Amino acid sequence: MYVTISSVRFALCGVGGIVLLSGFVFLTCIDQDNARHSFGHSEGFKCPLVPLLPITCILINSYLLISRGGAAWLRVSVWLAVGVIIYVFYGRTHSSLKDAVLVKDAQVDNTTSLLA
C-alpha cells in the first residue's frame, strides 16, 4: 500500500494535537502552591494566564522552528546546550535560594514565635 507524505503529516499533526491537548489538561490540573513561592511576600509569585500563556508560547515557537530548516534546529540545540551548561555549573551553585528551607504553612506560626 502506498503512503503519501500528506497522510504522514496528517497523522503526525493528529498525534501532536493529542499530546498538546493532554499537556494542556495536565497543566490545568496542577495546583500552584502559593505558600511555597512566597519569597518574603504575602502574595507569592504568580505567573499570569497559566497554563494558557506557556502553551501558546510553546505552540508559536514550535511553529517557527518547524517552518525553518535544519540550521535553525542546530542553532537552537547548541544554545540550549550552552544554557544548560551555564545553569548546571554556575546558576545552581550561585543561587540565592540554594540554602532556602521550605516551611509549611502549619509550621510558620511556630517558627516565627521561636525567632521572636
Side-chain angles (χ1 to χ4, degrees):
M1 187 163 122
Y2 181 70
V3 178
T4 62
I5 293 177
S6 62
S7 62
V8 172
R9 278 189 188 169
F10 185 71
L12 287 175
C13 286
V15 170
I18 290 171
V19 168
L20 180 68
L21 185 61
S22 61
F24 182 70
V25 169
F26 178 74
L27 286 174
T28 304
C29 294
I30 292 176
D31 186 28
Q32 291 189 21
D33 185 10
N34 293 331
R36 184 174 180 192
H37 302 292
S38 66
F39 305 112
H41 305 287
S42 61
E43 297 273 330
F45 175 77
K46 296 189 187 229
C47 184
L49 300 174
V50 170
L52 183 63
L53 185 63
I55 291 174
T56 305
C57 292
I58 290 169
L59 284 175
I60 291 171
N61 288 317
S62 298
Y63 171 74
L64 290 173
L65 275 174
I66 289 170
S67 65
R68 303 303 300 170
W73 283 96
L74 181 64
R75 286 186 203 109
V76 167
S77 300
V78 167
W79 282 111
L80 193 62
V82 168
V84 168
I85 289 170
I86 291 171
Y87 172 72
V88 168
F89 291 110
Y90 181 80
R92 290 185 58 95
T93 57
H94 291 82
S95 173
S96 62
L97 298 174
K98 182 176 73 170
D99 299 325
V101 177
L102 174 63
V103 178
K104 296 185 180 182
D105 284 339
Q107 299 172 342
V108 170
D109 293 332
N110 295 337
T111 306
T112 54
S113 64
L114 290 174
L115 292 175

